[in-house]
Amino acid sequence: MPSLLAQPAPTDATLRSAKPTALSAVKGMNDLLPEDMAIWEHVEATAAYVFRQYGYRAIRTPIVEQTAVFVRAIGEVTDIVEKEMYTFTDALNGEQLTLRPENTAAVVRAAIEHNLLYEGPQRLWYFGPMFRHERPQKGRYRQFHQFGIEALGHGSPEVDAEQLLLVWRLWEALGIKPEQRPALEINSLGASAERAAHREALVAYFSAHASALDADSQRRLGTNPLRILDSKNPAMQPVIADAPQLPDFLGDESRRFEDQVLDILTQAGVPFRQNPRLVRGLDYYNLTVFEWVTDLLGAQGTVCGGGRYDGLIEMMGGKPAPACGFAIGAERLIGLLQACAPLKTGPLLDVYLMHWGEGSTAQAMVTAEALRSRGLAVQMHAGGGSVKSQIKKADASGAQVAVILGEDERAAGKATLKPLRGQADQRTVLPGDLAEAVLCLTR
Ligand code: HAM
């Protein structure tokens, strides 16, 4: 596995240049600026609400884990482990560490370490940054965020189906119209013996067509032939189209499991498409796998991916227990919302508090505190300036009203209330009536 920290760290002298140049963020890692945050906060709050509606409890795990956590869970012959992990050696103790490229492995590690399953099955959700060293493009970043849920210790098909109903509800809660919602593609990877039989058939088939495979796929033939089906190489699509399909290798039990999931979806009115070629890019799955895909985002259209991973907990050193889950890419979901359900936000600030004259600052601060105690959001003018420039700043602040504590007001023991939006007239009020008067204008 390549280390991304192969170069020696720069010395102090190289970091200090004569004339400082502006530094920029790492390629593929984005700042979220204040103007971006309203929609992020809205999506975070909505997802947390919907997860709670289904009995999921939040969990947070560290951003850095031992590399083995991901190698063991995701699989050595996967794109993520082979080329996308930010892995480095801890200089103090030589430990191999990795910035998490996903969070299922870490949640399972934490559940085993803290014996969570001892108390019974666990429904967990998380939100946070993940890191993959991919080629950045729209919708594909090196630091991105995922909302995910993991149902640990849950083995029955209704849990898979319920997670899909949850996603459908989340689209609805975010205001995405049914026809603009990502489309659900679903498949079954069956049991390991069924996958082994399919794998054998795949190896035989692709070996017979080896000349049609690109170098990557030829290598995968000996390591992970299932992933050849996932190749995006257009030249290989005809040979992939005729390859043996996994659904043909499924036994009765796997079919019954899949039928039960699909039956619930059908009864609940959640549209889906069975896609026998869907294999996912991580090795831990069995039975149900799914992706929610949109064509409103260009090339990176997979908004959510997940499935069942009944073998992972045991593989990570825990007592055998089934599980399933998914993760939603937050940047892609927000991109989708911006395309089809833009957020209408109200003003973030209620009051801009203007003041001038000797000793006005302390009085303005006390007034601001009194207004905040009534639940109002107040920005106090800072740094003096003419009355005209203060009015300009009040207008630009987005606040709904300006409260003015000028020399005249303070001499008269009053405050002026100046609505900044709408038709109401400016008027003076006594300090005791101020909060009520502002509330009347803003709520
Ligand atoms: P995944 O399919 O690798 O699954 O990622 C889930 C979602 O994260 C993707 O569908 C996509 O929306 C988003 N995503 C992935 N890579 C990037 C990227 N470089 N830039 C932006 N968004 C990205 C997992 O991670 C599994 N842990 C899901 C899971 C949970 N399965 C079971 N439980």
Side-chain angles (χ1 to χ4, degrees):
M1 190 192 338
S3 167
L4 294 162
L5 297 183
Q7 301 300 318
T11 60
D12 266 9
T14 51
L15 288 172
R16 244 185 284 117
S17 70
K19 185 175 180 303
T21 51
L23 299 169
S24 53
V26 176
K27 203 167 164 221
M29 302 197 181
N30 301 315
D31 296 310
L32 295 175
L33 300 176
E35 71 235 36
D36 305 320
M37 286 312 297
I39 192 154
W40 276 80
E41 286 170 355
H42 169 64
V43 172
E44 286 172 41
T46 309
Y49 176 77
V50 174
F51 293 155
R52 268 200 306 275
Q53 282 195 295
Y54 288 78
Y56 285 81
R57 298 188 302 153
I59 184 167
R60 301 245 163 115
T61 56
I63 284 169
V64 178
E65 295 275 347
Q66 292 186 41
T67 303
V69 169
F70 302 114
V71 175
R72 211 193 287 180
I74 299 169
E76 238 158 317
V77 194
T78 56
D79 281 352
I80 296 179
V81 169
E82 279 183 327
K83 39 188 190 202
E84 294 171 1
M85 297 209 303
Y86 283 89
T87 290
F88 58 97
T89 306
D90 185 315
L92 283 184
N93 60 11
E95 252 184 324
Q96 280 276 105
L97 302 177
T98 293
L99 298 188
R100 62 184 185 192
E102 62 103 55
N103 213 26
T104 308
V107 167
V108 167
R109 192 269 309 141
I112 296 168
E113 186 170 337
H114 302 286
N115 217 1
L116 296 187
L117 286 163
Y118 179 74
E119 294 154 24
Q122 296 285 322
R123 291 164 178 251
L124 305 169
W125 75 267
Y126 53 83
F127 169 70
M130 310 292 154
F131 302 84
R132 295 184 193 177
H133 194 258
E134 298 196 76
R135 201 163 40 78
Q137 62 177 89
K138 182 170 171 271
R140 186 165 72 190
Y141 307 105
R142 290 178 171 173
Q143 176 178 325
F144 59 98
H145 298 75
Q146 284 185 345
F147 295 101
I149 71 173
E150 312 294 353
L152 308 182
H154 287 280
S156 54
E158 58 262 27
V159 180
D160 311 42
E162 192 189 58
Q163 291 189 342
L164 295 164
L165 302 189
L166 183 161
V167 177
W168 185 249
R169 181 176 294 281
L170 180 61
W171 304 152
E172 184 183 22
L174 289 167
I176 309 175
K177 294 195 193 90
E179 65 277 14
Q180 290 181 313
R181 292 180 194 167
L184 171 58
E185 303 210 340
I186 192 162
N187 190 20
S188 175
L189 298 186
S192 61
E194 292 154 3
R195 281 196 303 285
H198 175 236
R199 182 193 156 108
E200 217 171 282
L202 271 186
V203 172
Y205 170 82
F206 282 127
S207 301
H209 295 82
S211 57
L213 302 184
D214 59 20
D216 220 23
S217 296
Q218 293 204 359
R219 192 174 52 80
R220 291 221 151 109
L221 193 50
T223 52
N224 195 346
L226 200 63
R227 297 300 316 279
I228 300 177
L229 300 176
D230 222 16
S231 166
K232 303 283 178 290
N233 183 347
M236 280 179 42
Q237 296 314 307
V239 73
I240 288 175
D242 289 340
Q245 299 204 4
L246 181 55
D248 296 333
F249 292 78
L250 296 190
D252 287 347
E253 218 175 298
S254 295
R255 279 183 204 284
R256 239 191 336 269
F257 194 99
E258 186 182 22
D259 286 347
Q260 288 179 65
V261 175
L262 300 183
D263 184 47
I264 295 171
L265 293 177
T266 306
Q267 292 201 38
V270 175
F272 62 85
R273 182 177 84 86
Q274 285 181 271
N275 176 358
R277 303 241 164 260
L278 184 67
V279 294
R280 307 270 303 128
L282 308 96
D283 279 356
Y284 47 63
Y285 295 109
N286 66 303
L287 291 169
T288 316
V289 286
F290 57 86
E291 290 185 347
W292 294 81
V293 187
T294 176
D295 52 14
L296 295 174
L297 291 178
Q300 302 303 321
T302 307
V303 180
C304 169
R308 181 158 282 285
Y309 50 93
D310 292 334
L312 183 62
I313 296 177
E314 184 179 13
M315 219 166 74
M316 299 289 286
K319 283 209 188 107
C324 61
F326 66 74
I328 296 174
E331 282 78 3
R332 294 186 192 173
L333 174 55
I334 285 166
L336 177 64
L337 286 178
Q338 280 160 341
C340 70
L343 186 65
K344 291 179 207 76
T345 46
L348 295 175
L349 206 56
D350 298 309
V351 176
Y352 192 90
L353 208 162
M354 298 160 51
H355 61 98
W356 57 86
E358 184 77 26
S360 71
T361 304
Q363 193 182 342
M365 289 188 87
V366 170
T367 304
E369 286 304 309
L371 295 175
R372 290 181 188 124
S373 294
R374 297 294 305 274
L376 290 159
V378 182
Q379 184 180 329
M380 203 182 101
H381 179 78
S386 67
V387 175
K388 206 167 142 200
S389 81
Q390 290 201 28
I391 289 182
K392 255 195 185 162
K393 288 207 167 120
D395 259 334
S397 73
Q400 302 197 63
V401 297
V403 168
I404 304 171
L405 289 175
E407 273 162 334
D408 293 348
E409 283 86 359
R410 290 188 305 115
K414 292 187 171 166
T416 298
L417 204 57
K418 179 178 164 58
L420 298 169
R421 329 257 160 243
Q423 304 301 321
D425 289 331
Q426 175 170 321
R427 62 192 171 107
T428 49
V429 290
L430 290 166
D433 300 333
L434 182 59
E436 217 46 57
V438 174
L439 283 165
C440 280
L441 284 172
T442 54
R443 300 289 143 93

